[in-house]
Amino acid sequence: MAPGETCELPMFPLGAVLLPGEVLPLQVFEPRYLAMIEHCTASPERMRFGVVLIARGNEVGGGDERTGVGTVARITSCRRAPGGRLLLGCVGEERIRVDEWLPDAPYPLARVRSWPDDPSEPSADDVAALTDRITELTDLASTVAGAPRAPDWSQLTGSAGDRAFTLARVLPLGPLDKLRVLTAPTAAERVPVLARAVDDVAAALRFRLGGRG
């Protein structure tokens, strides 16, 4: 979609947040989503659907409360599995806003709008603060499970917003923290949001380590 363009898009609410550039494996078994994927894979022009986080409720059965910001998922592979299931490989593409939820018949559908980053650059101080917090977190995590270090900001490519999404994909963030990163309007705002999320994860890990006997 062009920036700000709207379209109707099949939607897959999940208990997880998909970030741009993130790989998403899915096992599809519910009839409404099987129908949705059959629709998407019927034509090369349809190989996309939207992913939003379920704020309240369950993935199976409907009746869930959904967030209004998500990511377009492009289907990269689809194969059938025993029991009528479909195994999908997907990758996150552009960020979207949900303008309107349409009737869930036969599967969730929404009118969505492309939501690109506004031009902006994070301050050097914000980048330095984020780098310090990531270093602290990876030092703590390595004492627990030998976790690999996250890449340094200067080693990453792409726009500042894309770099922040890359870090959010590889760091151990929960769904709500990832949602805050996704919904930060600009790169300048995304970097301090990510720094606060990393700081919260590090604080929880310090608490766990301090409680070890």
Side-chain angles (χ1 to χ4, degrees):
M1 288 183 287
E5 181 184 357
T6 63
C7 72
E8 290 186 8
L9 194 66
M11 302 295 288
F12 205 140
L14 292 173
V17 172
L18 177 67
L19 296 173
E22 189 168 17
V23 173
L24 175 68
L26 281 176
Q27 180 177 208
V28 182
F29 57 87
E30 198 174 350
R32 58 180 176 159
Y33 292 121
L34 289 171
M36 186 184 86
I37 300 305
E38 293 288 355
H39 167 83
C40 291
T41 54
S43 168
E45 291 77 29
R46 299 181 189 167
M47 297 283 282
R48 288 169 173 80
F49 56 87
V51 173
V52 293
L53 177 69
I54 295 174
R56 185 177 292 112
N58 300 310
E59 291 182 2
V60 178
D64 48 75
E65 182 180 322
R66 305 157 183 170
T67 57
V69 175
T71 301
V72 174
R74 176 171 55 87
I75 300 171
T76 56
S77 64
C78 178
R79 64 184 180 89
R80 298 191 180 276
R85 296 170 296 140
L86 292 175
L87 302 181
L88 298 184
C90 308
V91 63
E93 293 193 326
E94 61 192 303
R95 183 172 60 161
I96 52 174
R97 289 181 185 271
V98 176
D99 283 347
E100 180 186 7
W101 284 101
L102 303 174
D104 281 17
Y107 45 76
L109 188 69
R111 181 169 295 280
V112 304
R113 181 183 305 271
S114 174
W115 188 20
D117 273 343
D118 295 330
S120 67
E121 288 290 331
S123 70
D125 287 345
D126 283 342
V127 171
L130 172 61
T131 300
D132 288 345
R133 283 162 174 76
I134 290 174
T135 298
E136 179 185 14
L137 175 60
T138 52
D139 286 346
L140 287 167
S142 66
T143 67
V144 178
R149 287 194 171 275
D152 185 80
W153 181 269
S154 62
Q155 298 172 329
L156 299 173
T157 60
S159 68
D162 290 340
R163 293 184 190 192
F165 281 141
T166 297
L167 290 170
R169 293 197 302 266
V170 301
L171 291 167
L173 304 183
L176 291 181
D177 281 330
K178 290 177 72 173
L179 181 64
R180 293 184 186 102
V181 171
L182 182 65
T183 56
T186 67
E189 296 167 271
R190 187 170 303 130
V191 168
V193 167
L194 179 56
R196 288 193 294 273
V198 173
D199 200 31
D200 289 344
V201 174
L205 189 51
R206 283 195 299 271
F207 180 80
R208 284 175 51 198
L209 293 173
R212 285 186 168 189

